[in-house]
Amino acid sequence: MVEMVSRPYERAFEKHALANPEVLCISADLTSSCEIDKFRDNHPDQFLSMGMAEQNMMSFCGGLGLAGYRPFIHTFGVFTYRRPYDQLMASIAYPRRKVRIMGFLPGITTPGGMTHQAIEDISVMRSMPNMTILETGDATEVESICEAADSIDGPVYCRVLRGSMPRLFDTPIKVGEMRELSLGNDVLIVTAGITTEEAMRATKALEAAGVSVRHLHLHTIKPFNAEAILDHINAVKGGVITLENHVTEGGIGSLVAEVMADNGVGKKLRRLGLKDTYAHGGSRAYLMRYYGLDALALTQGVEDLLGQKLGISEADLAEARVDAVHSLAKAEGL
Amino acid sequence: MWNIAVKNERTTEDIALGIRRRVFEHAMRNNGGYLSQACSSAEQLAWLYNEELILGAPTLPMIPKPFGGVPHADNPDYHTGAGYNGPFEPEFDRLFIAPAHYALVAYATLIETGRMAAEGLEMFNKDGSSVEMIGAEHSPGMEVHNGTLGIGLSTAAGLAWARKRKGEKGRVWVYMSDGEVQEGQTWEAIQCCAHHRIDNVKAIMDVNRQQCDGAMDSVMEVGDIKTKMENFGAVVVEVDAHNVNDMREAAKTKHDGKPLIILANSNPFHAMPILEERFPRLHYVRFKSEEERARMNISIAESLGVDPIDYAH
Ligand SMILES: Cc1ncc(C[n+]2csc(CCOP(=O)(O)OP(=O)(O)O)c2C)c(N)n1
């Protein structure tokens, strides 16, 4: 059984902030939704409430950065770049302020529908010069995200998980590296964030069906180590498949495509994710099935990539974890 | 007109009570919900639908259709939830609910005013349903996508300007929340209405002085909303949000060349006094224990004059 961890961010942030007095906790009226309510109550001197005013918050944090502080912005990922894109660019990214953007509820991890689902954030941030992008896929990565982000000499956008989550890894994020989860030689599966757990479920079934899987998990999306992934791409016979909690344009699928094209790799690539569509509101398990982001979608993608039926069905996949909709790990409806 | 025919059958106060009862039942069964918003806003939404809005009969089925996809070139049958507010005809009003998390209250209002079947609420937040927790554009009674707060008034202003240009009599109403005044866009919208003399846009704002983190004064003070809005070019009237007569009178205020904004000062635990225990965390009430749930069940049921909800079944 996989170990489940409750609210790792809450503890990790407190530990990091207390050890680093230049770190400031910034909140945009989603304090308990981002697991910093205890921090606010226990350390009010290091906490700043910005209200529901994201544009001001971005430029304000640029000002804090100018003074040498390292603000950690907490809100849902969408609210950190859609409305305040211009402020993010001019006040934070351009001058390379050390602002750490903690974007909660990445992709379809929220039932809040289109306005709450950050499905194109990686694409936006990848095209923003000076921005670093990190993504968490399990409790260990969430526990190490504050230190990892704070080690960057410039602005960082992080996709952060919250609530109850599995522990899949036992080593912290090492910025710039990638995790090699299996080293087979038929197909290369590349995942990040919550899709890694899906790929791990699929890997067992694929191996059982005779497919040798090479699986990489990305926590550092920008800057990206093209050399390292190139070796893995070259090591497989059957092609590459990416699965992301994001639109297929501009995210990790595009990233891998660029590396392949840049290096003249003549292999097939299948990019799975949201296909030029907005999502809507629903449970995570439902949305992952509906939009083809789960283990089953991945095995079907591998069949398509290899041009052969593998006969893998739902029953062959390791059991999916289903998050309780009204989990006590979260305080809000969202 | 359809609305007028229904209008006098029930009082707005009675509809407001019905809204609260439905939201209460739902929150009890689901161990929580946007309950406080029913306390603060029930009379406002009841008044809009039962009296003030000039709407045609619903054009969409009483039992909502399942989720039918998002806007896309490959989805030609896509439609919004606007049909629950009646057809787009020049003489009819439109309504945008800017704080889309008030959806539960808005759906209950549709039911109480005969625009949606009670079954609609059973579909709330269910996978594959169009009756979404945060009202989406395709959810019953929603006409445009809101939910990212602060965009509603601007969209309404644009539609209102266009309707004026086309000579349409229908007005554009916006339901707003006070948290929206923290967003700069709200002020840009008022300034724009004033500059372009857009006076067929009308808003009513639920001034409950609460936001996600608690009392607005503790999160980001907004000061005197009325004076600020007037300075930006709106005609503003303050009312008691639980006094329907106040709202009726306010809506008659002349506002030539300016938008009308009614600030409805509300009580976030109106008609459910036990919720005061939860102050200042009222935004989403999730019961902390079975004991609390049971106690609130009995108390709120009594306040609303119904039997406690048998939520175990
Ligand atoms: C642009 C934007 N930022 C943040 C949020 C998250 N959010 C949802 S409701 C809310 C504030 C709630 O305050 P208010 O609008 O007054 O509603 P009420 O407290 O009456 O429910 C916030 C911050 C949002 N929906 N949109």
Side-chain angles (χ1 to χ4, degrees), chain A residues 165-219:
Chain A
M165 66 196 73
R167 186 182 300 289
L168 306 176
F169 313 122
D170 48 20
T171 56
I173 293 176
K174 289 206 193 80
V175 177
E177 297 189 2
M178 57 188 70
R179 294 185 195 272
E180 300 167 350
L181 302 183
S182 53
L183 290 171
N185 53 22
D186 286 334
V187 288
L188 172 63
I189 297 173
V190 183
T191 58
I194 60 166
T195 61
T196 294
E197 191 185 355
E198 294 303 311
M200 290 165 89
R201 290 173 59 214
T203 297
K204 290 198 190 83
L206 288 167
E207 294 277 352
V211 180
S212 172
V213 171
R214 184 170 286 249
H215 180 195
L216 297 176
H217 165 80
L218 309 182
H219 48 62

Side-chain angles (χ1 to χ4, degrees), chain B residues 183-257:
Chain B
E183 291 284 356
Q185 185 172 354
T186 298
W187 304 98
E188 296 174 22
I190 298 172
Q191 153 189 304
C192 169
C193 288
H195 181 78
H196 290 290
R197 304 186 57 80
I198 303 170
D199 51 12
N200 52 342
V201 70
K202 295 168 192 267
I204 180 162
M205 176 181 284
D206 182 18
V207 184
N208 60 7
R209 304 272 169 200
Q210 307 302 309
Q211 58 187 117
C212 291
D213 280 3
M216 282 175 67
D217 278 349
S218 70
V219 180
M220 180 59 70
E221 279 182 51
V222 296
D224 179 352
I225 302 175
K226 180 170 189 279
T227 303
K228 283 163 77 172
M229 285 182 166
E230 285 169 347
N231 288 343
F232 272 76
V235 170
V236 185
V237 189
E238 284 195 270
V239 301
D240 171 349
H242 309 296
N243 182 330
V244 178
N245 233 352
D246 261 22
M247 290 186 268
R248 286 183 193 122
E249 288 306 313
K252 293 180 191 151
T253 310
K254 286 237 172 319
H255 57 104
D256 291 342

Side-chain angles (χ1 to χ4, degrees), chain A residues 79-137:
Chain A
F79 300 132
T80 69
Y81 68 94
R82 283 197 186 157
R83 182 163 309 173
Y85 183 65
D86 189 30
Q87 287 83 358
L88 178 57
M89 200 90 151
S91 306
I92 295 177
Y94 181 84
R96 298 182 65 241
R97 301 285 177 238
K98 291 183 184 175
V99 176
R100 286 69 173 96
I101 301 162
M102 297 291 143
F104 287 77
L105 301 183
I108 52 71
T109 60
T110 165
M114 180 277 281
T115 53
H116 287 63
Q117 292 161 336
I119 58 167
E120 83 296 11
D121 51 342
I122 294 176
S123 173
V124 165
M125 298 295 177
R126 277 190 67 220
S127 61
M128 189 178 290
N130 295 341
M131 187 58 76
T132 292
I133 308 170
L134 305 176
E135 177 162 17
T136 57

Side-chain angles (χ1 to χ4, degrees), chain A residues 28-30 52 54 75-76 79 83 116, chain B residues 34 37 40 99 101-102 147-149 177-180 183 206 208 210-212 216 283:
Chain A
D29 192 29
L30 287 168
M52 184 170 63
E54 295 81 4
T75 182
F76 298 161
F79 300 132
R83 182 163 309 173
H116 287 63
Chain B
Y34 292 98
Q37 286 78 0
S40 56
H101 64 281
Y102 278 61
T148 170
L149 289 167
S177 60
D178 52 0
E180 291 191 278
E183 291 284 356
D206 182 18
N208 60 7
Q210 307 302 309
Q211 58 187 117
C212 291
M216 282 175 67
H283 180 73

